[in-house]
Amino acid sequence: MFQDCPTCLEAMFRCGETMNIPEIQVITLDKELIPLKLRLEEVVLALEKDGCVVLKEATDLTTIKSFTEQSPLEGLLSSVEKDIVVNRTVEAILFSAEHYDFRITNYRPYLAVFGQGLKGMRRDREGELIGSTSGLVGVNCIHLGGDSEVLWSIDVDGGSRQGATGQSVEVKANGGDIFICMAWLLYSVPRLEMELPGKAIMIVVSYLRDQFSDRGKIMPALAEKIVNLAGEHCHYKDQYLVWRRKRERE
């Protein structure tokens, strides 16, 4: 773990000095407000320890048009935007102190309706294995739609690295926020806390340390769309789409 590794913390701090880190605020599970640019290492530590943080005003889904009026594939592809799939704030966290590339293993838009949604908590199918491995191995990023007045909530199991504890904690967020969590975390599907004139969009993007396992293959059409937007940042080979860290950072 980072807290037992001064070298990792030093590397993280040096990396933070050279990266173009967005000036946003981060809310931890303990409801502490942390400025990402000034205290990047603390944000990463909180994410690893608690399993999740909320990145405030780190995304924008307002330009995405309704994808339900198209075929499933067309709707999926029309929702892909560079600032979502290779988000600058997520990049700062993933590549802060690690020397790994990350596979983009999932990109999926969803519609949320007030008073509806799946019940219960769930986690990644490799959650137990990921939970037993230190560092940022796998993370899920849920981009929450609507403006800053739109309220969302997510239930998380506050200590689920080793399995369910039954200790449920409610996380609050707003439209334009990103709920980022470790793949070992047990959490619920985000739910709207207010009734809206229409439906709200959320987009889930998942990342996994490259070569951690053999999972993460995605369809060519989706990969092509992402590569066209992200350019040299992403590479697609053998059905794996890899978000590559900038080599000059190493």
Side-chain angles (χ1 to χ4, degrees):
M1 297 290 291
F2 283 138
Q3 46 264 64
D4 299 323
C5 180
T7 302
C8 290
L9 286 172
E10 291 168 4
M12 187 186 312
F13 181 75
R14 290 195 304 269
C15 197
E17 288 182 324
T18 59
M19 291 176 64
N20 183 19
I21 302 171
E23 295 186 5
I24 69 156
Q25 299 293 317
V26 178
I27 298 181
T28 69
L29 194 60
D30 296 327
K31 297 182 173 56
E32 181 182 2
L33 192 65
I34 302 177
L36 180 71
K37 189 175 182 69
L38 297 178
R39 296 160 60 186
L40 172 63
E41 68 276 12
E42 293 182 42
V43 172
V44 176
L45 286 171
L47 176 59
E48 279 207 59
K49 178 177 70 73
D50 299 330
C52 66
V53 296
V54 175
L55 310 177
K56 300 298 294 180
E57 300 180 17
T59 191
D60 183 3
L61 307 188
T62 58
T63 61
I64 297 177
K65 307 222 181 327
S66 176
F67 50 85
T68 57
E69 300 170 0
Q70 307 171 68
S71 71
L73 178 57
E74 290 174 338
L76 169 63
L77 296 180
S78 70
S79 73
V80 178
E81 293 190 358
K82 180 179 178 179
D83 290 341
I84 298 174
V85 70
V86 287
N87 180 272
R88 287 177 55 235
T89 304
V90 174
E91 177 186 29
I93 292 172
L94 287 183
F95 298 126
S96 58
E98 302 286 358
H99 295 281
Y100 304 100
D101 296 330
F102 283 85
R103 289 176 183 166
I104 300 170
T105 61
N106 180 47
Y107 185 101
R108 186 71 58 181
Y110 296 93
L111 287 178
V113 180
F114 177 70
Q116 299 181 21
L118 297 175
K119 305 295 184 181
M121 291 188 280
R122 56 194 55 77
R123 70 172 177 177
D124 189 277
R125 59 185 172 89
E126 287 187 311
E128 184 176 353
L129 176 60
I130 291 172
S132 65
T133 307
S134 63
L136 298 178
V137 178
V139 301
N140 298 312
C141 296
I142 305 181
H143 296 246
L144 301 172
D147 60 31
S148 60
E149 299 299 315
V150 175
L151 303 177
W152 296 82
S153 64
I154 306 103
D155 294 324
V156 307
D157 188 313
S160 58
R161 177 183 283 272
Q162 303 303 328
T165 67
Q167 302 171 5
S168 179
V169 179
E170 187 178 46
V171 176
K172 297 288 189 180
N174 298 88
D177 295 347
I178 299 176
F179 172 77
I180 178 172
C181 67
M182 302 290 282
W184 52 258
L185 184 74
L186 276 156
Y187 66 96
S188 70
V189 174
R191 59 184 176 272
L192 285 169
E193 290 294 298
M194 57 192 297
E195 193 163 5
L196 300 174
K199 299 176 181 178
I201 297 173
M202 58 181 169
I203 293 180
V204 180
V205 190
S206 302
Y207 308 90
L208 181 69
R209 184 186 294 176
D210 191 28
Q211 299 183 354
F212 178 76
S213 69
D214 61 358
R215 66 178 291 193
K217 295 181 178 180
I218 66 172
M219 68 178 73
L222 177 59
E224 182 180 2
K225 177 68 179 286
I226 294 174
V227 169
N228 287 339
L229 291 173
E232 62 182 11
H233 295 290
C234 292
H235 177 69
Y236 186 58
K237 184 179 180 180
D238 299 327
Q239 293 183 277
Y240 293 111
L241 179 61
V242 179
W243 188 3
R244 299 184 293 194
R245 73 193 312 275
K246 294 178 180 178
R247 300 304 168 189
E248 61 267 23
R249 292 180 189 155
E250 302 188 357

